[in-house]
Amino acid sequence: MARTKTSFRCTACGRQELKWLGQCQGCGEWNTLVEVAPAAASARPGARPGARPAARPVRALEVQTLREARFTTGLGELDRVLGGGLVPGSSVLLGGDPGIGKSTLMLQVCAGMARPEAPVLYATGEESLEQVRARAVRLGLPLDGLQLLAETDVEALAGALQAGSFRAVVFDSVQTLRCPDIPSAPGSVGQVRESAARLAEVARARGQPIFLIGQVTKEGTLAGPRMLEHMVDTVLYFEADPGRSLRVVRAHKNRFGPVSEIGVFEMTGQGLVVVDNPSRAFLQDRPARACGSAVLAMLRGTRPLLVEVQALVSSSVYAQPRRTAWGCDPNRVALLAAVLERRAGLQLAGCDLFLNVAGGLELDEPAADLAICAAILSSQADRPIHPRLAVFGEVGLAGEVRAVPAAEARAQEALRLGYARVLLPAGCLEQLHAPRGLEPTGIASLDRLAELALEDR
Ligand SMILES: Nc1ncnc2c1ncn2[C@@H]1O[C@H](COP(=O)(O)OP(=O)(O)OP(=O)(O)O)[C@@H](O)[C@H]1O
Ligand SMILES: [Mg+2]
């Protein structure tokens, strides 16, 4: 007899249970059991052999190559993050804090892609059709080719996808979707997982790209499950620097492109506007001649960017001084502080150290080391860094400054923004075909950092 009750499957070992348990009885992991629909449960591995026809593999040479190339979303910055445009049949999850502008971005994308002969569907479970239309009118978006649907039932939505021929489909948001055969409430782990899986399957089969909008929890993970990230092809995060209008879209996972690219937007009354000169935007609030502020020439994907790295060194009231960092790895900061103490004679014992990357960007490349060191040094010495100086380079445990890739591109970006003086690893000097006006200075070891980077008193 067919099973009609919902069951639960461990995401770690695949064991099936008939009731929810905090700990899996199979592998002992905690909180790994998720609800699965009856149909999915009966298709578990180990089901009676012979009940279904055996699957037939095909030769890779016989598989048809995808005919249609990627297409543009109408927003160049988003295309860049997607790896050069949207892939037909792909599923993209867009996560971000409440109110950051996810619906705005997706509505602009819909309007950018929609053609009267190839409409785009925007399905909403959070707002009414009137609210969505009002937003589109406020943003001045063309309405032809844009179809709206207020629906949360996944079966009905899958039916709409199959009945229509859409260039792309947006679901706002994945937390409101519900599969009628799963009894739990919308937004629960089982509902979110199953809804996303079913819609992604239909999209793949029909070659229609879909966007799923998702909320981010306070812990910073996409509400509902991390496992949702495995089900979709691309996961994008939409982030903001608190209190500022800059928005950054970055790929967390991408099956069709790199994850290193970022797209920078500004939220305005007319919606999200592409920021043509992100370096200028990231540096616009930088105070002149401030101690503890260094300009880093970083590389994000293929794009060089100038960002401000700020450090504050202050005497500590704690027995164990603090090492706190926003926008970069605190362990890396602690390591660089130790190297500065040993190799550059800096006195940091008994001092709290705070580090911040302005603009809400994350530094994830070793080339940021030298700028972090320069900012700490400047704060500790209470001397500003030379005006119009940009810095980059990796720092080793012996205090040596190591070469990093793309020195030329970084230096060019610095010069473009008026940072004519560039402090870079000595090993990079040879590869640098210094453009006119650039004043590069090579540094081989941290013990010369104060002399080369700080202004004289
Ligand atoms: N009339 C307006 N003028 C300027 N900016 C506006 C206006 N209305 C909304 N915004 C901006 O749009 C943001 C909300 O955008 P949007 O609704 O797209 O966000 P969201 O991420 O989809 O939010 P939610 O998580 O609630 O769905 C607001 O925080 C505000 O900055
Ligand atoms: Mg929204």
Side-chain angles (χ1 to χ4, degrees), residues 21 71 106 110 125 153 169 178 182 187 247 261 274 288 295 298-299 336-338 348 360 367 384 393 419 442 448:
L21 297 168
F71 56 90
M106 280 298 111
C110 285
D153 185 314
V169 184
R178 64 187 168 85
I182 296 185
R247 304 280 187 272
E261 299 283 354
V274 166
V295 172
M298 66 181 284
L299 194 72
L336 292 171
L348 292 172
Y419 287 76
R448 292 199 63 206

Side-chain angles (χ1 to χ4, degrees), residues 75 78 94-111 121-128 131-136 138-139 141 146 148 170-176 211-215 238 247 267 271-272:
L75 286 173
L78 191 63
L94 175 73
D97 286 325
I100 195 166
K102 302 178 293 296
S103 305
T104 306
L105 177 69
M106 280 298 111
L107 202 57
Q108 286 183 237
V109 165
C110 285
L121 177 65
Y122 186 97
T124 173
E126 300 210 331
E127 292 161 298
S128 67
Q131 284 173 316
V132 177
R133 189 195 148 114
R135 178 182 289 123
R138 173 170 67 82
L139 302 175
L141 300 175
L146 183 62
L148 305 179
V170 172
F171 298 99
D172 187 3
S173 69
V174 73
Q175 274 89 7
T176 60
F211 287 95
L212 296 159
I213 297 178
Q215 307 281 359
F238 202 26
R247 304 280 187 272
M267 178 61 95
L272 291 153

Side-chain angles (χ1 to χ4, degrees), residues 381-392:
D382 213 18
R383 284 165 60 191
I385 289 177
H386 284 301
R388 320 319 291 173
L389 177 78
V391 180
F392 62 88

Side-chain angles (χ1 to χ4, degrees), residues 291-292 310-316 323 340 346-355 375-382:
C291 298
Q310 301 172 325
L312 181 67
V313 179
S314 63
S315 55
S316 180
R323 302 279 183 261
L340 277 168
L346 213 65
Q347 291 297 317
L348 292 172
C351 292
D352 286 332
L353 171 55
F354 303 94
L355 209 108
I376 296 172
L377 187 69
S378 162
S379 176
Q380 217 276 351
D382 213 18

Side-chain angles (χ1 to χ4, degrees), residues 57-65:
V58 281
R59 282 155 46 93
L61 284 171
E62 291 165 14
V63 177
Q64 282 192 344
T65 46

